[in-house]
Amino acid sequence: MSSQKSMHLCAFLCAGPVSHSHAIWRNPAHETGFLRGDFYVELARTLERGKFDFVFLADRLAIADQYGNSSETGLRYGDQDATRLDPIPILGLMAAATKHLGLGATRSTTYGTPYSLAREMATLDHISGGRAAWNVVTSMNDSEAMNYSAARHLKHDERYDRADEFMEVTFKLWDSWEPDALVLDRANGIYADPTKVHYVNHVGKNFQVRGPLNIPSSPQQRPVIIQAGSSGRGKRFAARWSEVIFALQPTMARMKDFRNSIRAELADAGRPEDASKVLMAIMPFVGTSRSEAEEKRDLHDSLVVPQVGLSTLAAHSNSDFSSLALDATVSEIESTGSQGNMAALRSIAPGGSLTIAEAGRVYGSGVMCPRSVGTAKDVAEHLLSIIDDDAADGFVLSPAFLPDSFQDFVEHVVPILQKSGRLRREYGTETLRGRLAGHA
Ligand SMILES: Cc1cc2nc3c(=O)[nH]c(=O)nc-3n(C[C@H](O)[C@H](O)[C@H](O)COP(=O)(O)O)c2cc1C
């Protein structure tokens, strides 16, 4: 391995028609099998062949119906929330089809419960031999709230306060079995040592949980913790709990600012500045020539229906801005949903002057995800320049087409990264946490 920093790779997926790209399912070359199990099995095998650290499945808990106070636009054109299969069963399939690939999923601390979450992640960690990861989200909008017996979404910072307690409880539950509590002495019929299994008796503002967990300690003891909030409160939460931080920053300058702000937050939290790996979202378009790559990008963008981007933007901002004219600007959108995404959106044009119409296209074509367009060598060099400029520890690769984008990347870009010594050629025997903490 080169002495230069190597990179971590994660594959971003939504188990539905779109991911960040809202054109994935419209690929003229072939259908996208997002409702089929074998589709995800094949994707997992491709990513493991490419020696990715892990695959990640994003999630949300409602269809989008903020834009125009209706689900019509999102359902008609297929927005990010039109369909989302539950990530955990899919990761179970992927676990069975692979040996090393890490397996990450989103779960909400606002609409989940600590005991159920602790069980899901401990199970996934056991059945995968220590490869589970959890993207901790506080969810985005009222539509999700209304599916969980609430009239409105919690206020922004209140969501994170609840999330802090949620983390405290789940950590107690994962620690409720000591690592050697399980005995499995078949000859003498001793299953476990009861003195090493403990009640947690948590009584807090939001949760009362007695425990213990009904699952022994898993290979990683707890899943790798991921976080993706980029607001001030979101970053403080990430600095306290996360081992991986996903970020979506449209420019190199914002990537670097974000990275440095995380370092400062980690220091404030009393943790080493590299205690959490920052992975930047990026959408690659790989061609045998630069012009072929540009053709792929242009084909992709020609399939984007701008209104569908507005439907997802309304879901992310938890606001109906459909009364704003298309030439109004994004700075007029009031968001009670994601603060980080809105800040990034306002940064795209000076003074937040991006128009609503432009925002629809930006969101529809990739939710502000920066792109890397060119030959495999161009893309490899571009990614390495971001690492070498200290703007990230790795990437959340967001596909334009599936499985094409990952197949192209694994077949053409990965060998170049491996040859340069900046990406592993083989997995070790470590858990996902071991891999992320160690030499990549
Ligand atoms: C790569 C990436 C993946 C994300 N995945 C999800 C997800 O699956 N579900 C979700 O509700 N939010 C997801 N988010 C949004 C964040 O979790 C977060 O809710 C949002 O950025 C708002 O947080 P903030 O207000 O603290 O900035 C993701 C963000 C990024 C950058």
Side-chain angles (χ1 to χ4, degrees):
M1 273 285 195
S2 156
S3 60
Q4 290 178 292
K5 216 167 82 170
S6 41
M7 70 173 67
H8 294 286
L9 288 178
C10 165
F12 179 92
L13 277 177
C14 297
V18 306
S19 283
H20 290 125
S21 154
H22 288 51
I24 289 184
W25 68 280
R26 297 195 63 197
N27 186 342
H30 56 74
E31 271 196 8
T32 305
F34 62 86
L35 293 174
R36 293 200 327 266
D38 62 321
F39 171 75
Y40 297 102
V41 164
E42 282 318 308
L43 274 176
R45 290 190 174 135
T46 299
L47 297 169
E48 182 151 280
R49 213 171 41 247
K51 303 297 180 285
F52 274 56
D53 289 72
F54 63 109
V55 62
F56 161 69
L57 277 96
D59 197 23
R60 205 120 53 233
L61 301 169
I63 60 165
D65 55 7
Q66 285 72 21
Y67 193 68
N69 199 19
S70 152
S71 59
E72 188 184 336
T73 305
L75 287 174
R76 186 180 305 284
Y77 299 114
D79 73 1
Q80 222 185 23
D81 296 337
T83 296
R84 295 221 191 210
L85 300 184
D86 186 323
I88 299 280
I90 294 174
L91 291 182
L93 269 181
M94 289 179 155
T98 55
K99 288 192 172 44
H100 303 281
L101 186 70
L103 307 159
T106 283
R107 278 289 193 248
S108 171
T109 55
T110 304
Y111 302 114
T113 61
Y115 201 84
S116 299
L117 183 284
R119 293 187 76 234
E120 283 174 330
M121 286 295 163
T123 302
L124 181 62
D125 203 47
H126 273 295
I127 65 172
S128 67
R131 298 189 267 152
W134 169 30
N135 178 37
V136 184
V137 304
T138 59
S139 295
M140 293 267 198
N141 59 50
D142 296 337
S143 308
E144 294 176 287
M146 288 186 252
N147 288 335
Y148 291 85
S149 311
R152 302 194 72 75
H153 196 29
L154 283 182
K155 291 201 173 61
H156 188 269
D157 288 11
E158 261 178 60
R159 303 197 284 266
Y160 280 108
D161 296 342
R162 177 188 163 99
D164 274 326
E165 187 186 342
F166 195 112
M167 301 306 287
E168 286 157 14
V169 185
T170 49
F171 276 43
K172 288 177 187 172
L173 287 167
W174 287 315
D175 294 345
S176 63
W177 286 63
E178 293 177 29
D180 59 352
L182 198 58
V183 178
L184 292 178
D185 175 353
R186 287 173 289 152
N188 298 306
I190 305 298
Y191 175 72
D193 178 347
T195 66
K196 294 184 175 176
V197 182
H198 311 287
Y199 286 96
V200 302
N201 294 322
H202 174 90
V203 178
K205 179 166 177 265
N206 302 285
F207 306 107
Q208 287 81 45
V209 180
R210 196 170 70 122
L213 192 63
N214 61 352
I215 299 178
S217 167
S218 68
Q220 297 187 112
Q221 186 94 6
R222 57 174 77 110
V224 167
I225 303 296
I226 306 169
Q227 219 277 332
S230 47
S231 63
R233 185 67 182 87
K235 286 192 269 190
R236 269 203 311 287
F237 179 87
R240 180 176 173 191
W241 298 104
S242 76
E243 298 160 84
V244 172
I245 297 174
F246 287 158
L248 200 161
Q249 298 295 340
T251 63
M252 178 70 118
R254 284 189 64 92
M255 290 182 190
K256 291 179 81 169
D257 287 351
F258 180 83
R259 179 101 180 57
N260 293 332
S261 68
I262 289 295
R263 284 204 169 111
E265 293 287 353
L266 284 164
D268 289 352
R271 297 176 67 200
E273 67 168 36
D274 64 349
S276 197
K277 300 282 185 276
V278 175
L279 305 190
M280 284 293 161
I282 196 155
M283 187 179 290
F285 291 89
V286 180
T288 51
S289 65
R290 215 165 271 174
S291 59
E292 188 196 85
E294 287 160 358
E295 276 164 29
K296 284 185 184 180
R297 177 202 58 202
D298 298 346
L299 166 68
H300 171 271
D301 292 351
S302 72
L303 298 165
V304 173
V305 179
Q307 298 98 299
V308 78
L310 296 179
S311 180
T312 297
L313 174 55
H316 284 194
S317 58
N318 194 25
S319 74
D320 176 12
F321 52 83
S322 60
S323 59
L324 292 177
L326 289 178
D327 61 359
T329 68
V330 292
S331 50
E332 296 168 55
I333 297 176
E334 287 163 26
S335 171
T336 58
S338 168
Q339 290 182 0
N341 286 21
M342 298 313 293
L345 191 65
R346 292 188 198 110
S347 78
I348 290 178
S353 58
L354 189 77
T355 66
I356 302 290
E358 290 162 339
R361 187 160 286 290
V362 167
Y363 244 68
S365 59
V367 188
M368 305 177 283
C369 220
R371 286 145 170 221
S372 189
V373 183
T375 63
K377 185 167 174 294
D378 295 335
V379 172
E381 286 171 359
H382 179 209
L383 299 184
L384 288 172
S385 72
I386 296 172
I387 302 279
D388 295 341
D389 220 8
D390 205 23
D393 300 297
F395 301 96
V396 192
L397 289 183
S398 192
F401 290 127
L402 282 173
D404 320 50
S405 299
F406 290 140
Q407 285 172 339
D408 288 349
F409 191 89
V410 166
E411 214 168 308
H412 304 295
V413 183
V414 163
I416 296 175
L417 295 171
Q418 289 171 327
K419 202 151 170 264
S420 72
R422 309 293 296 273
L423 180 68
R424 72 182 64 79
R425 285 180 186 277
E426 294 305 333
Y427 290 108
T429 53
E430 72 284 22
T431 61
L432 174 58
R433 176 170 292 112
R435 183 180 310 148
L436 290 165
H439 194 62

